[in-house]
């Protein structure tokens, strides 16, 4: 009898807190009602977290104290989390409680809060404070999101709530009709999105499924593993990747490398599925290039420039994808090569564009440099570049994960879905990545030259060797790699041909022209970008390959004048 009476007042006061609910209490709070963080207090905690309604979500709760400096500096990150996973709301919600406020002290004590901030995940059918699981302290959004996802997956694996997304991996199937059938049973959506992942423990797919919750009526999304029969049928090689089918069609409407950033583009796709292939048509309709370059050299010249976007795209592929192509771990000489390459990129990747007296910063490239530095340090922590590095072994999945976290923390400096600019080929098979690589190598060499020109001991060898080592260990075009290694060690050896410091860029210019000469007229030559000996007359009228003095100022200025990255222009309404 006494018990019932004691519980009564609390029951009467109980309320469920939601976004925007103003918590009771005297102290200032670290969150406001605009934040995507639910603010709890003594009177709402039980009813919200230990909810018994059928549509209750699970929760992540930060117990903080408004006076704690640590909590204050953590709050912006937690707000970011709230925003970032807002679409996950039907599954999990982000909440917080100020333990410094005396009205909340009993709840904080019941939750065993030992320090601030103290963060717990409460499973969907938590019934008491001890059902909450403590989360590790975290420093980055991606780390926090990953931990949260792991807890949600654990919750799902035990309870398999059928009103949550289906996080199970798609079962093997041999025909597309089985896929439509599976989809039809569960959803009336017109698209199916499949995320193919490397490992059952991968979190990317689960995160995407939750990101897509607002689109449940348009898109039925599932996870699948990379040994699924569809992987071979679709020739998928990079994981995780995303494929979207229109129901009933075997040719995907979207096939892309998957990362979280893709979401924006997916939303665009869902909003407007038109305007496909226009760009391609435009391009092939262009005039015969060699005629243009003879008759209208000024116009042709405009197609030749150094693009920041191309370089960033190429470096992302080189570091993130090429290194993990085989899945083999990094160790010994390939680990040293990757470390050396990152370290060289950090030192020499240009962060300014220079056109005559006009200098401008390249903020995307500066952010990319912080990614290079973080990866370099990360490899060093794992034993790269120390005396006993021969024993160091780095798992490529871990390395990829670190890359993705690092780029996200740096504000995603690498364009993913942007088209190639200068390096765009007239078909998808031409130019692109290999053009981006050459362009980056030349730009790096010119940038290194300008940085180190006055050092008395400046040598062209470290930069050239680090490029060669990367090519030797990672360049996926195997015959390119073999030719390049043979040329740079035997037929036109770096160690003999590159003596003075200006050879750091002159060597690459000559080596590239040797390659151009060999490839001239082959079917890999893009009719729009013939394999001229560089620079062609239309680029530099008074350059003469036999007189290096005429080439040097041209190369230095051409590879310093970088077209800054510009975000793709939004298609204006009513565009004709
Ligand atoms: C290290 C390496 C080795 C390769 N080896 C081979 C191979 O053995 N076989 C093969 O088929 N393909 C090879 N390739 C690919 C090939 O060289 C081209 O990259 C590809 O054919 C695309 O050509 P592209 O027209 O886009 O111009 P690219 O040759 O890629 O050049 C990119 C841009 O660099 C500029 N440029 C061109 N020449 C020079 C120069 N001499 N100095 C400075 N700037 C220049 C131009 O603006 C050009 O558009 C290799 C690529 C690399 C990076
Ligand atoms: C959680 O709830 C589900 C149904 O909502 C139930 O099937 C499951 O047994 C519950 N789990 C626990 C641990 O209480
Ligand atoms: C909340 O629930 C706990 C038991 O889980 C109980 O001890 C406590 O008194 C409740 N608090 C309120 C305000 O109802
Ligand atoms: C999809 O349909 C099958 C067959 O009816 C069913 O077993 C499965 O639980 C459904 N999945 C979802 C997420 O509804
Ligand atoms: C382009 O024009 C040149 C010069 O007129 C000609 O030799 C070449 O065959 C043309 N190429 C194509 C693909 O039309
Ligand atoms: C790196 O080198 C080690 C040791 O030689 C080798 O086992 C591994 O396959 C290589 N990894 C890659 C990605 O080439
Ligand atoms: C190199 O030295 C010259 C003159 O000695 C000076 O004008 C120039 O700014 C220096 N360049 C760099 C990159 O330090
Ligand atoms: C090339 O010629 C132009 C004028 O035609 C001149 O301004 C420029 O300095 C010359 N460049 C070289 C490298 O000689």
């Amino acid at each position: 009898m006494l018990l019932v009476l004691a519980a009564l007042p609390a029951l009467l006061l109980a309320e469920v807190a939601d976004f925007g609910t103003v918590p009771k209490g005297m102290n200032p709070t670290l969150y406001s009602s605009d934040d995507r963080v639910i603010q709890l207090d003594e009177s709402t905690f039980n009813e919200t977290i230990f909810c018994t309604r059928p549509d209750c979500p699970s929760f992540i709760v930060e117990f903080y104290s408004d006076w704690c400096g640590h909590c204050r500096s953590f709050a912006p990150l937690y707000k970011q989390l709230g925003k970032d996973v807002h679409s996950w709301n039907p599954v999990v919600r982000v909440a917080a409680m100020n333990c410094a406020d005396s009205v909340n002290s009993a709840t904080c004590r019941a939750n065993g809060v030992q320090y601030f901030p103290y963060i717990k995940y409460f499973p969907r059918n938590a019934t008491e404070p001890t059902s909450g699981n403590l989360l590790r302290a975290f420093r980055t959004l991606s780390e926090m999101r990953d931990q949260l996802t792991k807890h949600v997956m654990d919750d799902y694996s035990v309870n398999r709530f059928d009103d949550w997304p289906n996080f199970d991996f798609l079962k093997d199937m041999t025909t597309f009709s089985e896929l439509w059938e599976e989809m039809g049973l569960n959803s009336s959506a017109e698209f199916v999105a499949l995320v193919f992942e490397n490992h059952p423990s991968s979190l990317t797919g689960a995160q995407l499924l939750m990101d897509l919750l607002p689109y449940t009526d348009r898109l039925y999304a599932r996870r699948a593993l990379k040994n699924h029969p569809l992987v071979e049928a679709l020739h998928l090689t990079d994981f995780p990747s995303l494929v979207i089918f229109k129901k009933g069609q075997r040719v995907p409407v979207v096939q892309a490398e998957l990362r979280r950033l893709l979401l924006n583009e997916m939303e665009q796709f869902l909003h407007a599925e038109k305007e496909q292939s226009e760009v391609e048509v435009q391009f092939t309709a262009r005039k015969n290039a060699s005629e243009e370059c003879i008759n209208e050299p000024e116009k042709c010249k405009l197609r030749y420039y150094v693009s920041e976007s191309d370089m960033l795209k190429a470096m992302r592929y080189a570091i993130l994808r090429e290194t993990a192509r085989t899945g083999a771990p990094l160790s010994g000489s390939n680990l040293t090569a990757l470390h050396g390459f990152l370290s060289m990129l950090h030192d020499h990747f240009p962060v300014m564009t220079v056109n005559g007296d006009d200098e401008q910063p390249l903020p995307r490239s500066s952010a990319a440099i912080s990614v290079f530095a973080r990866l370099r340090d990360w490899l060093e922590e794992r034993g790269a570049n120390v005396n006993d590095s021969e024993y160091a072994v780095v798992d490529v999945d871990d390395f990829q994960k670190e890359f993705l976290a690092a780029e996200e923390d740096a504000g995603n400096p690498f364009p993913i879905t942007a088209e190639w600019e200068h390096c765009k080929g007239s078909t998808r098979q031409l130019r692109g990545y290999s053009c981006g690589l050459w362009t980056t190598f030349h730009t790096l060499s010119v940038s290194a030259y300008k940085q180190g020109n006055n050092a008395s001991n400046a040598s062209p060898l470290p930069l050239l060797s680090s490029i060669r080592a990367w090519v030797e260990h990672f360049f996926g075009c195997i015959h390119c790699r073999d030719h390049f290694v043979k040329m740079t060690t035997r037929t036109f050896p770096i160690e003999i041909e590159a003596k003075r410091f200006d050879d750091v860029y002159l060597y690459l210019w000559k080596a590239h022209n040797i390659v151009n000469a060999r490839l001239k007229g082959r079917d890999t030559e893009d009719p729009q970008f013939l394999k001229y000996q560089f620079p062609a007359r239309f680029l530099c009228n008074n350059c003469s390959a036999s007189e290096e003095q005429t080439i040097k100022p041209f190369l230095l200025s051409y590879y310093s004048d970088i077209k800054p990255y510009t975000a793709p222009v939004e298609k204006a309404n009513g565009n004709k």
Side-chain angles (χ1 to χ4, degrees):
M1 197 63 203
L2 201 69
L3 260 173
V4 173
L5 279 178
L8 208 54
L11 278 176
L12 288 175
L13 286 172
E15 294 165 48
V16 175
D18 202 346
F19 297 98
T21 301
V22 178
K24 298 188 174 60
M26 303 295 289
N27 289 35
T29 58
L30 294 185
Y31 302 95
S32 80
S33 45
D34 299 336
D35 294 321
R36 309 279 207 183
V37 174
I38 296 176
Q39 299 199 78
L40 303 166
D41 62 29
E42 188 82 359
S43 66
T44 56
F45 188 89
N46 284 359
E47 203 73 0
T48 308
I49 304 298
F50 309 131
C51 153
T52 51
R53 286 172 292 115
D55 61 345
C56 295
S58 59
F59 284 91
I60 175 173
V61 180
E62 182 210 3
F63 298 93
Y64 69 91
S65 164
D66 62 79
W67 47 255
C68 125
H70 220 79
C71 302
R72 281 202 205 138
S73 43
F74 177 72
L77 189 59
Y78 200 65
K79 288 178 192 179
Q80 232 183 321
L81 177 74
K83 234 158 104 183
D84 191 80
V85 304
H86 196 60
S87 66
W88 300 9
N89 271 340
V91 171
V92 62
R93 294 186 195 178
V94 177
M97 182 167 203
N98 188 356
C99 292
D101 210 307
S102 55
V103 298
N104 296 330
S105 51
T107 303
C108 294
R109 205 174 316 115
N111 275 284
V113 176
Q114 291 164 23
Y115 45 83
F116 299 118
Y118 198 74
I119 299 167
K120 279 170 135 183
Y121 174 83
F122 288 95
R124 190 178 190 186
N125 36 14
T127 50
E128 50 177 22
T130 53
S131 336
N133 308 304
L134 189 62
L135 270 69
R136 287 193 316 274
F138 29 52
R139 285 161 302 154
T140 66
L141 178 59
S142 53
E143 202 185 329
M144 189 155 49
R145 191 172 55 223
D146 282 356
Q147 271 201 70
L148 180 57
T149 310
K150 266 185 212 138
H151 281 285
V152 169
M153 289 302 100
D154 289 347
D155 205 356
Y156 179 81
S157 66
V158 174
N159 293 306
R160 321 195 73 77
F161 305 109
D162 58 14
D163 55 344
W164 276 14
N166 184 346
F167 292 113
D168 297 335
F169 291 100
L170 193 66
K171 65 180 195 319
D172 280 2
M173 42 186 58
T174 46
T175 64
F176 274 94
S177 34
E178 287 175 73
L179 181 58
W180 317 138
E181 218 170 279
E182 169 95 5
M183 181 186 173
L185 290 173
N186 293 292
S187 158
S188 57
E190 101 196 79
F191 295 100
V192 58
L194 301 178
V195 187
F196 292 93
E197 297 174 279
N198 265 319
H199 298 295
S201 61
S202 163
L203 301 172
T204 325
Q207 291 172 348
L208 186 85
L209 262 52
M210 291 190 278
D211 288 338
L212 290 175
L213 277 167
Y215 301 98
T216 310
D217 56 331
R218 306 279 325 269
L219 197 76
Y220 174 64
R222 289 292 297 270
R223 307 165 74 194
L225 282 170
K226 72 170 175 194
N227 58 6
H228 194 279
L230 270 174
V231 166
E232 225 181 282
L234 295 165
H235 305 294
L236 297 180
T237 51
D238 291 338
F239 303 97
S241 48
L242 169 77
V243 178
I244 301 181
F245 293 100
K246 196 161 188 166
K247 194 172 183 174
Q249 293 179 2
R250 289 145 182 262
V251 180
V253 287
V254 169
Q255 183 165 327
E257 173 202 328
L258 180 72
R259 33 172 260 146
R260 228 157 166 278
L261 192 71
L262 198 66
L263 200 63
N264 288 337
E265 285 95 43
M266 282 196 49
E267 289 178 4
Q268 275 173 19
F269 154 79
L270 286 168
H271 288 301
E273 301 128 29
K274 299 164 227 140
E275 315 187 39
Q276 306 276 336
S277 60
E278 256 172 43
V279 195
E280 210 107 8
V281 177
Q282 228 176 7
F283 204 94
T284 46
R286 203 142 75 184
K287 270 197 273 176
N288 178 331
S290 40
E291 271 173 18
E292 183 174 291
C293 293
I294 293 162
N295 301 332
E296 300 172 276
E298 285 308 312
K299 218 166 148 191
C300 173
K301 197 172 164 178
L302 292 178
R303 297 199 276 122
Y304 283 80
Y305 56 92
V306 178
S307 151
E308 181 186 22
S309 179
D310 285 358
M311 293 195 288
L312 291 171
K313 260 175 94 84
M315 285 306 99
R316 182 172 193 270
Y317 193 84
I319 295 164
L320 176 67
R321 295 294 167 187
E322 295 267 53
T323 51
R325 198 166 6 85
T326 63
L330 302 163
S331 76
S333 56
N334 54 44
L335 180 58
T336 307
L338 180 57
H339 174 268
F341 191 66
L342 285 165
S343 167
M344 183 274 287
L345 284 173
H346 167 263
D347 293 343
H348 302 305
F349 200 77
V351 292
M352 297 292 282
T353 171
V354 183
N355 181 342
D357 291 335
D358 185 24
E359 290 198 3
Q360 269 185 52
L362 299 168
R364 285 248 173 178
S365 293
S366 299
I369 283 197
S370 73
V371 175
F372 302 142
R374 174 160 156 189
L375 293 169
R376 176 201 59 195
D377 296 346
W378 188 88
L379 289 179
E380 280 171 19
E381 281 162 26
R382 277 147 195 83
N385 196 37
V386 295
N387 292 336
D388 60 349
S389 66
E390 58 202 277
Y391 301 110
V393 179
V394 173
D395 184 278
V396 284
D397 286 339
D398 292 345
F399 177 73
Q400 277 200 317
K401 241 180 112 100
E402 183 64 15
F403 184 104
L404 295 174
E407 71 172 347
E408 180 167 14
D409 293 340
N412 291 307
F414 302 97
I416 309 300
T417 52
E419 298 254 12
W420 294 100
E421 295 187 335
H422 165 64
C423 287
K424 183 170 167 53
S426 29
T427 71
R428 285 171 69 84
Q429 285 71 42
L430 295 170
R431 314 194 76 224
Y433 172 56
S434 64
C435 168
L437 270 183
W438 272 125
T439 306
T440 314
F441 294 166
H442 291 300
T443 313
L444 284 163
S445 68
V446 163
S447 159
Y449 173 75
K450 292 196 299 183
Q451 283 171 317
N453 192 12
N454 290 351
S456 53
N457 59 347
S459 157
L461 294 183
L463 181 130
L464 294 174
S465 325
S466 77
I467 289 177
R468 177 174 57 194
W470 180 86
V471 169
E472 179 177 355
H473 289 285
F474 299 107
F475 194 13
C477 168
I478 302 302
H479 65 274
C480 302
R481 182 194 72 189
D482 294 348
H483 273 298
F484 191 76
V485 170
K486 188 171 149 211
M487 171 173 68
T488 52
T489 56
R490 285 192 275 149
T491 57
F492 191 62
I494 290 175
E495 285 78 2
I496 292 170
E497 300 294 335
K499 291 245 159 62
R500 290 173 319 165
F501 191 51
D502 43 14
D503 289 330
V504 71
Y505 67 94
L506 289 172
Y507 175 88
L508 278 178
W509 163 68
K510 289 178 201 162
H512 192 173
N513 272 341
I514 294 173
V515 175
N516 289 339
R518 189 159 50 79
L519 301 179
K520 194 172 162 53
R522 302 246 186 117
D523 54 7
T524 53
E525 182 174 45
D526 190 323
Q528 303 284 340
F529 290 88
L530 301 178
K531 301 269 181 216
Y532 303 104
Q533 288 293 291
F534 189 88
R537 180 79 39 211
F538 58 80
L539 284 177
C540 178
N541 201 18
N542 45 9
C543 283
S544 157
S546 54
E547 292 170 70
E548 273 175 19
Q549 292 315 317
T550 64
I551 304 286
K552 283 161 75 169
F554 172 79
L555 287 177
L556 289 175
S557 94
Y558 184 88
Y559 281 105
S560 301
D561 185 2
I562 299 164
K563 177 183 170 287
Y565 173 88
T566 44
V569 191
E570 297 277 330
K571 292 238 161 72
N573 285 333
N575 212 354
K576 282 157 270 168

